[in-house]
Amino acid sequence: MAINWFKYSAPSTFYGLAGKLIPWFAWPAGLLFVAGLYIGFFVAPTDAIQSEAYRIIFIHVPASILSMFLYLILAGYAALGLIFKTRLSSMMASALAPTGALFAFISLWTGALWGKPMWGAWWVWDARLTSELILLFLYLGFIALQASIEDPRRADKASALLAIVGSVNVPIIYYSVQWWNTLHQGATIKMTGTSMHVAMQQGMFMVLAACWLYAIAVALTRVRSIILEREANTQWVKELQEVKQ
Amino acid sequence: MTMSEFFYMNGYAFYVWGSYGVTLLVLLIEIAMVRHRRQLALRQLRLMNESGDE
């Protein structure tokens, strides 16, 4: 049985599939958030040096990881849409941008609130912090560029170019702590494992999983709206159950 | 560990709850916005359908 991948790349079939999938991502996301934060606050021990302030890690690290990965995925979809002219790919890129921007903002915000007690400063022009700020501006630039062009096709093309060019910034963020002498600490989670306490790891990885599930659920919901907006005058949209009521 | 001790976060309450509070707020706002966008799209389509049927 050959899987016909292209069947789901058509907006109409994808719209139905996404609709069924959303709850399967949304509810587990909520549960994992609660469970992960429970472990983070009640099971994980106090840190020897930072005492309780370190507990910000359970949202700061997942949000930062998401902000980087979501941008690469966004750039990937944008490239697909550019190369193959597949409208749904460009719609997915547009659907990911706001969520990615929010995670970049959360990463910067929680980082500042962690930096103030530990470094004594809300903000430092440090390589890691500055490149993450550039990431936030790239997200906002993508959204603004999309919104500023009337014709969806041209908007997708222009914003795709920005997204692809901007993706060089993500490796810079990741390696910034090794390339430059940064105030921000180096990578704690390496392929060879991590030096973190086991409960700290569990808490953080559960919140990370929750963030992934949340991002997927929100992006799928948003892409369905984009599909409805862009395919408004197609027959299949007119006959949609939720439209005919 | 009493409730108040927990929320005190050994003096870091502002920073810890400032981080989690804003994060929760931001996520809730995004969920509200995404749902709102869907309602708008559907309402728009229904209007188009009605005007089309005349």
Side-chain angles (χ1 to χ4, degrees), chain A residues 50-102:
Chain A
Q50 300 198 15
S51 102
E52 303 303 333
Y54 91 95
R55 294 189 195 275
I56 297 174
I57 196 173
F58 298 113
I59 190 64
H60 178 65
V61 171
S64 308
I65 291 172
L66 258 292
S67 71
M68 291 194 281
F69 270 104
L70 286 182
Y71 190 89
L72 291 181
I73 296 167
L74 182 154
Y77 274 121
L80 280 176
L82 198 62
I83 298 161
F84 299 108
K85 303 281 184 297
T86 43
R87 298 191 318 279
L88 189 53
S89 311
S90 308
M91 292 187 209
M92 267 314 284
S94 310
L96 285 165
T99 304
L102 285 182

Side-chain angles (χ1 to χ4, degrees), chain A residues 108-132:
Chain A
L108 289 165
W109 175 268
T110 54
L113 263 70
W114 195 354
K116 179 61 179 167
M118 289 305 129
W119 299 340
W122 299 105
W123 178 262
V124 175
W125 292 106
D126 168 277
R128 166 64 58 93
L129 281 70
T130 310
S131 45
E132 180 74 23

Side-chain angles (χ1 to χ4, degrees), chain A residues 134-204:
Chain A
I134 292 167
L135 181 68
L136 175 62
F137 288 148
L138 280 168
Y139 274 121
L140 298 177
F142 180 89
I143 295 167
L145 189 53
Q146 269 273 327
S148 65
I149 300 172
E150 193 57 42
D151 167 38
R153 284 293 165 77
R154 279 185 47 245
D156 290 343
K157 186 187 279 282
S159 51
L161 293 176
L162 170 65
I164 293 161
V165 169
S167 55
V168 70
N169 181 47
V170 174
I172 292 174
I173 297 173
Y174 185 74
Y175 289 109
S176 62
V177 285
Q178 287 154 28
W179 289 342
W180 293 283
N181 170 15
T182 63
L183 189 56
H184 191 285
Q185 73 171 50
T188 310
I189 311 166
K190 290 181 273 296
M191 294 312 160
T192 56
T194 174
S195 56
M196 289 168 66
H197 181 282
V198 63
M200 294 183 191
Q201 278 179 52
Q202 279 168 350
M204 195 169 71

Side-chain angles (χ1 to χ4, degrees), chain A residues 15 33 37 41-42 46 49-53 55-59 98-99 102-103 105-106 109-110 113-114 116-118 122 214 218 221-222 224-226 228-229 231-233 237-239 242-245, chain B residues 1 3 5-24 26-50 52-53:
Chain A
Y15 179 87
F33 255 128
L37 290 183
F41 277 95
F42 296 105
T46 305
I49 307 155
Q50 300 198 15
S51 102
E52 303 303 333
R55 294 189 195 275
I56 297 174
I57 196 173
F58 298 113
I59 190 64
T99 304
L102 285 182
F103 277 120
F105 167 74
I106 291 170
W109 175 268
T110 54
L113 263 70
W114 195 354
K116 179 61 179 167
M118 289 305 129
W122 299 105
Y214 166 85
V218 167
T221 310
R222 188 175 290 117
R224 291 182 92 218
S225 301
I226 294 173
L228 289 179
E229 287 154 13
E231 312 270 315
N233 39 36
V237 166
K238 283 192 166 57
E239 271 140 26
E242 54 261 40
V243 171
K244 284 172 78 146
Q245 268 154 352
Chain B
M1 211 245 288
M3 278 292 283
E5 250 171 42
F6 170 74
F7 284 110
Y8 181 60
M9 276 287 139
N10 198 2
Y12 295 106
F14 174 75
Y15 304 109
V16 174
W17 305 120
S19 300
Y20 284 95
V22 165
T23 300
L24 185 66
V26 161
L27 296 183
L28 290 177
I29 290 172
E30 181 177 38
I31 292 168
M33 278 171 57
V34 159
R35 292 166 67 95
H36 178 63
R37 181 171 182 172
R38 176 166 169 76
Q39 300 312 330
L40 278 184
L42 290 174
R43 204 174 304 143
Q44 181 78 12
L45 288 167
R46 288 186 195 122
L47 287 177
M48 282 168 61
N49 265 11
E50 275 149 28
D53 295 348

